[in-house]
Amino acid sequence: MHLKIMRCIIAAAFCAAAIGGQSPGPAEKYGSSYGHGYYLFLAGTPDGCEDCYVPLLLTRKSMEELQDSPTADDCVLITTYERDSIWHYQGLLRIAQSEINGTERKLRILSKTYRYQEIGATEVLRLLQNPLGKIPISRTYVPSRFPPAPELQRLIADFRGLR
């Protein structure tokens, strides 16, 4: 019995040390807050119901600022279903200025070209706060190919500050 208690005490000590250690918090890990949301509409011919799954891109800078920036920026990519619900939380996608055509309002990512349209914080919050939406759909597990993005609660806090 004493051995079990000793193990619990040691485990608790390790947890306390980890919490108070040098591990970066969410704000430090992901940098500044996200403040721009863009729906991406397929510019080419859709394959099947491909245009039902509308990507949502959350960025720290506006597309214009990203296009003028010499460094790429990590953006959050979320796939929505009919802009009603979150179908898949993809993760972080690095966007470079070479992928943005500001005059045509187009973005080339994932081997496809999209037209981008900025949406307001209220629309972004509607999706983040109600990820299941109103349209009932089946959601299957799809592993992400991208690095993990900030948690939804962090993104909600970022966009709440903009309203």
Side-chain angles (χ1 to χ4, degrees), residues 53-86:
Y53 299 93
V54 179
L56 171 64
L57 189 70
L58 304 179
T59 64
R60 293 183 194 115
K61 303 173 186 172
S62 69
M63 282 292 186
E64 293 77 19
E65 291 170 322
L66 285 172
Q67 186 178 13
D68 292 339
S69 176
T71 58
D73 200 20
D74 288 331
C75 304
V76 177
L77 181 63
I78 298 172
T79 302
T80 72
Y81 179 73
E82 296 283 349
R83 295 177 287 168
D84 172 70
S85 62
I86 294 176

Side-chain angles (χ1 to χ4, degrees), residues 62-163:
S62 69
M63 282 292 186
E64 293 77 19
E65 291 170 322
L66 285 172
Q67 186 178 13
D68 292 339
S69 176
T71 58
D73 200 20
D74 288 331
C75 304
V76 177
L77 181 63
I78 298 172
T79 302
T80 72
Y81 179 73
E82 296 283 349
R83 295 177 287 168
D84 172 70
S85 62
I86 294 176
W87 185 75
H88 183 57
Y89 192 59
Q90 302 272 11
L92 290 177
L93 176 68
R94 185 154 286 189
I95 306 270
Q97 68 182 168
S98 61
E99 297 162 322
I100 303 168
N101 181 339
T103 55
E104 294 182 17
R105 299 190 59 80
K106 289 185 179 177
L107 176 67
R108 178 121 179 111
I109 57 169
L110 308 174
S111 303
K112 296 183 187 274
T113 302
Y114 294 91
R115 291 177 292 106
Y116 61 85
Q117 175 186 347
E118 188 161 16
I119 60 173
T122 303
E123 176 73 6
V124 173
L125 280 170
R126 182 188 64 78
L127 273 166
L128 297 178
Q129 291 174 326
N130 186 19
L132 297 179
K134 295 178 182 174
I135 302 171
I137 61 170
S138 180
R139 289 175 173 81
T140 58
Y141 173 73
V142 179
S144 181
R145 351 182 287 215
F146 304 107
E151 293 181 11
L152 285 180
Q153 293 306 319
R154 156 99 196 281
L155 295 172
I156 289 170
D158 288 351
F159 281 92
R160 269 195 188 138
L162 299 175
R163 288 194 320 179

Side-chain angles (χ1 to χ4, degrees), residues 6-17:
M6 186 59 103
R7 285 182 185 158
C8 288
I9 291 172
I10 292 171
F14 277 118
C15 288

Side-chain angles (χ1 to χ4, degrees), residues 26-43:
E28 295 167 352
K29 184 177 177 184
Y30 297 109
S32 62
S33 61
Y34 290 84
H36 300 273
Y38 296 90
Y39 278 132
L40 306 179
F41 299 100
L42 196 58

